Amino acid sequence: MKVYNDCFINSALIYLPMSRTLCPSCHRPKIACICAFTADIANDIHLVVLQHPSEECHTKGTVTLLAKSLRKCQVLVGEIVDTMPSFLSVMAQYQPVLLYPGEQAHVLDINLLVQLTNHRPGAEKNQYIIADNTKPICLVILDATWKKAYRMFMLSTTLQHLPQVCLPEHLANAGQYHIRKVAKKNALSSLEASCYALAILEQGNDDLPVSPKNAGKYQPLLEKFQQFNQFQLSFRPEHKTPEET
């Protein structure tokens, strides 16, 4: 089972002096500013990132890059969703769809979108009944380690009742998240998972299938993300030349 996590260690900050000038936009030291790696994307589907409290110290990682790039992106911090007024407000405004590869998850494709916008989970496993389709859908992702994302899911009945989707294998295995080692092979960052999922949800019938080389309007951000990876890795001692160390 894959959980799309975004546990990022801001290694750039480790080697910088305590007194530093911060970028007024991304609030990172100017030497580690990520503004050059953002992309202005008018996503059609609202994205909600549910971030575990232990990840809040890492918000200057890929979630920050994602939130600065998407015009419709909301980051909510908390472990138990059932007690989060901000997420209950999301439930009132949208039909949330959870990107979480659990046992009830359906592989995300363009044909599934019609079902998601007209159905909600019923009493029986994998059964759906008609829902309020006057509300627009929104995509929900969990930003946490594998273990903590599972804990968030198990502690929140609200999440368990949402329609669950997962990425097709050719996208789930296309991760370029090199900043930090993760517990699972081919794990995607929250940024990558969100871009691929949104690209699928928003694609038209005549569009080419979403692939690692073709994610529609999200492709520029994915390409920026690869540059972002290299930029962050450059701050690590093993990547510096003798003149730089």
Side-chain angles (χ1 to χ4, degrees), residues 13 16-23 27-31 60:
L13 301 183
L16 295 174
M18 291 303 293
S19 178
R20 52 187 180 264
T21 303
L22 301 182
C23 169
H27 307 294
R28 292 165 58 101
K30 287 191 174 181
I31 193 174
K60 294 179 180 178

Side-chain angles (χ1 to χ4, degrees), residues 24 51 53 67 70 76 84 86 109 142 169 181 188-189 207 242:
Q51 188 175 63
L70 301 185
L76 307 177
M84 293 174 60
S86 52
D109 60 35
L142 303 182
E169 285 296 315
K181 290 182 179 180
L188 296 178
S189 66
D207 294 339

Side-chain angles (χ1 to χ4, degrees), residues 174-212:
Q176 298 295 317
Y177 190 44
H178 304 310
I179 297 172
R180 179 178 183 264
K181 290 182 179 180
V182 291
K184 297 291 184 179
K185 183 180 179 180
N186 296 323
L188 296 178
S189 66
S190 294
L191 183 148
E192 294 170 296
S194 298
C195 285
Y196 288 137
L198 288 171
I200 294 174
L201 288 169
E202 296 178 358
Q203 70 179 323
N205 291 318
D206 298 328
D207 294 339
L208 293 174
V210 175
S211 71

Side-chain angles (χ1 to χ4, degrees), residues 30-239:
K30 287 191 174 181
I31 193 174
C33 174
I34 64 171
C35 294
F37 306 108
T38 61
D40 184 16
I41 299 176
N43 51 312
D44 298 324
I45 293 177
H46 186 69
L47 175 69
V48 177
V49 180
L50 297 178
Q51 188 175 63
H52 191 278
S54 66
E55 295 299 312
E56 192 171 8
C57 63
H58 302 311
T59 54
K60 294 179 180 178
T62 68
V63 167
T64 299
L65 189 61
L66 182 66
K68 284 179 64 65
S69 297
L70 301 185
R71 295 186 185 180
K72 298 178 182 178
C73 182
Q74 190 174 3
V75 181
L76 307 177
V77 181
E79 183 178 38
I80 303 178
V81 173
D82 294 345
T83 58
M84 293 174 60
S86 52
F87 189 71
L88 297 180
S89 177
V90 169
M91 293 285 292
Q93 298 177 59
Y94 299 96
Q95 294 185 73
V97 175
L98 179 64
L99 183 64
Y100 183 83
E103 293 182 358
Q104 299 184 36
H106 295 265
V107 177
L108 194 55
D109 60 35
I110 190 172
N111 296 319
L112 183 62
L113 178 60
V114 177
Q115 302 176 39
L116 294 175
T117 54
N118 288 279
H119 295 74
R120 63 179 173 84
E124 299 181 16
K125 181 178 179 180
N126 292 329
Q127 296 297 312
Y128 292 84
I129 58 178
I130 298 297
D132 179 7
N133 59 6
T134 62
K135 299 178 184 177
I137 72 168
C138 73
L139 180 67
V140 178
I141 69 167
L142 303 182
D143 180 50
T145 62
W146 298 76
K147 184 176 181 179
K148 290 176 181 177
Y150 177 75
R151 177 177 171 82
M152 289 174 69
F153 180 78
M154 296 304 296
L155 288 176
S156 302
T157 56
T158 302
L159 292 181
Q160 296 173 34
H161 290 159
L162 296 180
Q164 298 172 33
V165 297
C166 61
L167 293 173
E169 285 296 315
H170 73 283
L171 295 176
N173 294 328
Q176 298 295 317
Y177 190 44
H178 304 310
I179 297 172
R180 179 178 183 264
K181 290 182 179 180
V182 291
K184 297 291 184 179
K185 183 180 179 180
N186 296 323
L188 296 178
S189 66
S190 294
L191 183 148
E192 294 170 296
S194 298
C195 285
Y196 288 137
L198 288 171
I200 294 174
L201 288 169
E202 296 178 358
Q203 70 179 323
N205 291 318
D206 298 328
D207 294 339
L208 293 174
V210 175
S211 71
K213 299 296 184 181
N214 176 48
K217 66 174 121 177
Y218 301 95
Q219 192 63 35
L221 180 54
L222 290 170
E223 293 172 359
K224 291 274 192 178
F225 176 66
Q226 293 184 30
Q227 299 173 24
F228 172 78
N229 268 274
Q230 296 305 314
F231 174 70
Q232 290 298 137
L233 288 172
S234 71
F235 286 96
R236 296 184 177 180
E238 63 269 25
H239 290 272

